Amino acid sequence: QVQLVESGGGLVQAGKSLGLSCAASGSIFSIYVMGWYRQAPGKQRELVASITSDGNTNYADSVKGRFTISRVDAKNTVYLQMNSLKPEDTAVYYCNADIRTITFPLRNYWGQGTQVTVSS
């Protein structure tokens, strides 16, 4: 059983910074792509940023230059550093990862989500 547990969400003023982390636990053999998605009220879930096991990153145009994704494989953890936050960044942020466990082949997993609210 794999679990992704996010932490670090909260309320922040526009222009400030906030960091999110997501730790994967369970009988993990390897983790491939890890990413962050977000879903604002009334909108579809969208990719914010992703990072491969090789360290290649991909960002949504709306967050380029403001957000940074990173990972520490020894901790099975992915991070999202969010700078210069805007009210439109307000959403529930979800961690996502492609994980191969000892007993199961590659599967996609989601965290439970963490709320980020940016006030103007």
Side-chain angles (χ1 to χ4, degrees):
Q1 187 78 5
V2 171
Q3 283 191 321
L4 299 180
V5 179
E6 300 111 335
S7 60
L11 173 64
V12 65
Q13 287 185 326
K16 301 296 185 181
S17 299
L18 197 63
L20 305 180
S21 63
C22 170
S25 63
S27 301
I28 296 171
F29 180 78
S30 59
I31 303 178
Y32 298 91
V33 181
M34 302 185 82
W36 290 94
Y37 288 72
R38 67 186 181 187
Q39 187 167 20
K43 295 188 176 181
Q44 289 188 331
R45 190 173 298 189
E46 63 175 359
L47 174 68
V48 176
S50 64
I51 183 168
T52 69
S53 54
D54 295 332
N56 294 314
T57 58
N58 181 46
Y59 294 93
D61 288 342
S62 60
V63 307
K64 282 181 181 177
R66 300 188 298 121
F67 291 11
T68 301
I69 189 170
S70 61
R71 61 191 282 175
V72 177
D73 289 337
K75 296 183 178 181
N76 291 333
T77 300
V78 63
Y79 304 92
L80 185 69
Q81 179 63 37
M82 304 182 290
N83 298 329
S84 302
L85 282 160
K86 303 176 181 180
E88 50 264 42
D89 294 318
T90 295
V92 178
Y93 283 70
Y94 296 91
C95 177
N96 180 270
D98 292 329
I99 298 175
R100 181 182 171 190
T101 66
I102 294 173
T103 54
F104 290 103
L106 191 66
R107 287 185 178 179
N108 187 257
Y109 294 88
W110 288 94
Q112 81 285 357
T114 185
Q115 177 70 46
V116 173
T117 303
V118 184
S119 63
S120 56

